[in-house]
Amino acid sequence: MFYRSNDDETMYCDAIGKLLAQVAPVQRVQALDNRKAFDFELHQALAEVGAWGVGVDESLGGSGGGPVLQVLTLEMLGQQATSMAVFGVIQYMATRLLRQFGTEEQKRQYLEPLCSGKIRASFCMTESGGGTDILTTLKTRAVRSGEGWRLNGSKYWISGATRSDLLIVLARTAEHRSRGISMFLVPAQTGGVTATELNTFAINGYDTCSVSLDDVDLPADAILGTENQGFMQVLGTLNSERLNASAVASGIGRGAHRLAVAYAKEREAFGRPIGQFQALQHKLVHAGVELEAAWTLTLGAARLEEEGRDVSVESAIAKLAASGAGQRAAELGMEVVGGAAFDIDMPMQRYYRDIRLYSFAPLTDSMVANFLGERWLGLPRSY
Ligand SMILES: Cc1cc2nc3c(=O)[nH]c(=O)nc-3n(C[C@H](O)[C@H](O)[C@H](O)COP(=O)(O)OP(=O)(O)OC[C@H]3O[C@@H](n4cnc5c(N)ncnc54)[C@H](O)[C@@H]3O)c2cc1C
């Protein structure tokens, strides 16, 4: 609403909008979610319009564009196909890591197949000991073995791992706390890799998994980026991931809000639409204002990032705003829809469940606030 797209962005968004209307009508998305099934058809259709190649140069098999097109894509997916939006965040993370840190051979091997939807990737950092204090909990280790590496350990809460072809795994390669971690490219079929789907209550259309790595032998060129700098290299991409998470959270909130407004116009009580009652009308207006503000912050930060500016503070502000606005919009949606919100065939409950992810991923809102307290407000570190 407050953002004027250029012609390329408008054309691209129109194409995504048409595709979603055709391939991912709400009943279909909901039915797949209820069956905990990944939408392969939508994934492929999005690949064909170039959605999975956004942010990757055409010369590498991508479709060009940058942070703005990525957030526009993810916000639209969040409004309608929430699990596919989460897939998109991981897809863009994987292609970004490969694009920034891959050798020419790694880029050639993986980028085109990822962008064209032939393969999918997972990002494996978190372990069962916890995601926030990751430098303490990360125990997966890679040791030199012959010409290459041998990996042992396990990962937890990994998106998409049972259906991924490629795992990007962070493992300890030296004793230094932060500069002793490397990234590895692990084909999912490698011996010793086992991904198991966890039984979770949300993001049902995209598996969340544990991954065991038992004596996984890798060649020397399986390292992505610089040995022992893997964690620092991942940190460098977190602004983009925060912005992409903000886009999904904004989208989910806007999806819930749109549904709530439509319902408030149709549903009647005491001879009038429930949206005529000021108690609901004002809440819907305030939730809409909050969502517009969050989305404007997200787009503004994405635009700055596209210009090459450091957006660590801006992306953190956008993430907090979008996570809060999205959660409150979904909560209000549940109130407006009343008992029907419990209907598993109605998407409101899905928005309400799925929005939770972005209150703690990729970083919890408390840790984002810690970062802002320190870096934005100049207050002493709180932990
Ligand atoms: C559905 C799903 C998908 C995921 N996908 C992936 C993936 O693909 N790849 C991957 O690597 N990880 C993934 N994750 C993991 C995710 O990134 C972590 O859940 C997240 O980093 C938080 O870690 P935690 O859940 O272990 O919380 P914990 O670290 O156990 O934290 C618990 C609580 O303590 C609070 N806390 C901790 N320290 C502080 C502090 N200093 N100040 C204030 N509060 C604090 C936190 O804010 C939080 O509220 C996924 C998780 C889920 C549930």
Side-chain angles (χ1 to χ4, degrees):
M1 189 188 271
F2 292 93
Y3 174 77
R4 201 186 299 275
S5 308
N6 64 35
D7 290 348
D8 286 350
E9 290 162 359
T10 306
M11 249 169 54
Y12 173 79
C13 289
D14 285 350
I16 299 284
K18 276 196 198 115
L19 182 154
L20 285 173
Q22 274 167 13
V23 185
V26 68
Q27 299 83 349
R28 176 184 153 80
V29 173
Q30 197 50 54
L32 286 166
D33 195 80
N34 292 350
R35 293 203 332 256
K36 291 202 162 203
F38 184 74
D39 193 342
F40 290 100
E41 203 178 313
L42 176 60
H43 172 260
Q44 194 49 45
L46 285 161
E48 280 161 23
V49 293
W52 302 140
V54 172
V56 177
D57 286 352
E58 288 175 32
S59 61
L60 294 169
S63 33
V68 172
L69 274 194
Q70 287 194 347
V71 295
L72 286 167
T73 309
L74 296 174
E75 194 272 344
M76 291 178 85
L77 289 177
Q79 284 197 36
Q80 197 144 333
T82 42
S83 290
M84 195 58 74
V86 178
F87 168 85
V89 174
I90 304 292
Q91 165 79 9
Y92 291 154
M93 172 114 196
T95 52
R96 184 177 310 108
L97 289 170
L98 278 159
R99 183 174 54 78
Q100 284 189 3
F101 304 115
T103 60
E104 289 312 310
E105 174 55 23
Q106 288 168 338
K107 290 182 195 174
R108 192 198 56 71
Q109 189 177 356
Y110 292 117
L111 277 174
E112 189 283 329
L114 279 168
C115 296
S116 61
K118 290 188 199 89
I119 65 168
R120 288 178 295 276
S122 286
F123 174 71
C124 310
M125 180 158 80
T126 307
E127 302 194 4
S128 59
T132 307
D133 186 11
I134 189 70
L135 289 177
T136 302
T137 58
L138 200 150
K139 307 273 191 249
T140 295
R141 189 166 285 276
V143 292
R144 287 195 185 275
S145 163
E147 296 285 289
W149 294 91
R150 178 166 289 180
L151 248 73
N152 274 291
S154 61
K155 299 286 171 180
Y156 214 73
W157 304 127
I158 303 305
S159 297
T162 62
R163 299 190 187 102
S164 282
D165 306 275
L166 173 69
L167 309 178
I168 299 176
V169 177
L170 272 84
R172 291 214 160 271
T173 40
E175 292 316 310
H176 192 282
R177 200 169 139 79
S178 56
R179 291 184 167 76
I181 295 172
S182 307
M183 276 188 281
F184 289 88
L185 295 173
V186 183
Q189 296 309 319
T190 313
V193 176
T194 315
T196 309
E197 185 162 0
L198 300 169
N199 198 10
T200 58
F201 89 119
I203 325 289
N204 287 345
Y206 188 38
D207 47 326
T208 309
C209 312
S210 64
V211 178
S212 306
L213 303 154
D214 300 312
D215 288 336
V216 177
D217 285 322
L218 298 171
D221 62 2
I223 285 219
L224 173 62
T226 310
E227 185 177 335
N228 293 328
Q229 297 304 314
F231 182 72
M232 306 313 291
Q233 291 179 317
V234 167
L235 275 191
T237 68
L238 283 189
N239 291 337
S240 313
E241 208 193 355
R242 277 181 202 155
L243 279 181
N244 286 344
S246 311
V248 177
S250 295
I252 295 177
R254 279 153 68 113
H257 187 254
R258 190 181 50 200
L259 188 64
V261 171
Y263 193 84
K265 288 177 182 167
E266 291 290 321
R267 179 76 165 180
E268 292 200 350
F270 300 96
R272 66 192 84 165
I274 57 170
Q276 197 175 341
F277 299 121
Q278 208 171 52
L280 290 184
Q281 198 175 107
H282 282 193
K283 282 186 192 169
L284 284 166
V285 169
H286 289 299
V289 169
E290 220 191 331
L291 286 165
E292 285 304 320
W295 179 225
T296 305
L297 286 171
T298 304
L299 272 168
R303 180 66 78 204
L304 291 177
E305 194 184 30
E306 198 146 304
E307 289 168 5
R309 298 259 296 271
D310 172 11
V311 292
S312 40
V313 166
E314 289 82 353
S315 63
I317 291 174
K319 157 71 165 67
L320 269 195
S323 158
Q327 284 179 83
R328 284 184 285 277
E331 173 90 39
L332 175 62
M334 293 295 279
E335 180 185 338
V336 170
V337 175
F342 273 55
D343 184 343
I344 203 78
D345 291 324
M346 192 158 178
M348 193 60 85
Q349 46 81 30
R350 174 164 50 85
Y351 292 123
Y352 182 67
R353 289 183 286 110
D354 286 358
I355 189 67
R356 284 299 304 166
L357 177 63
Y358 288 116
S359 68
F360 61 84
L363 198 61
T364 70
D365 282 356
S366 295
M367 287 308 284
V368 176
N370 285 343
F371 170 82
L372 284 172
E374 198 179 329
R375 284 283 296 277
W376 183 35
L377 304 183
L379 295 169
R381 179 171 281 202
S382 62
Y383 61 98

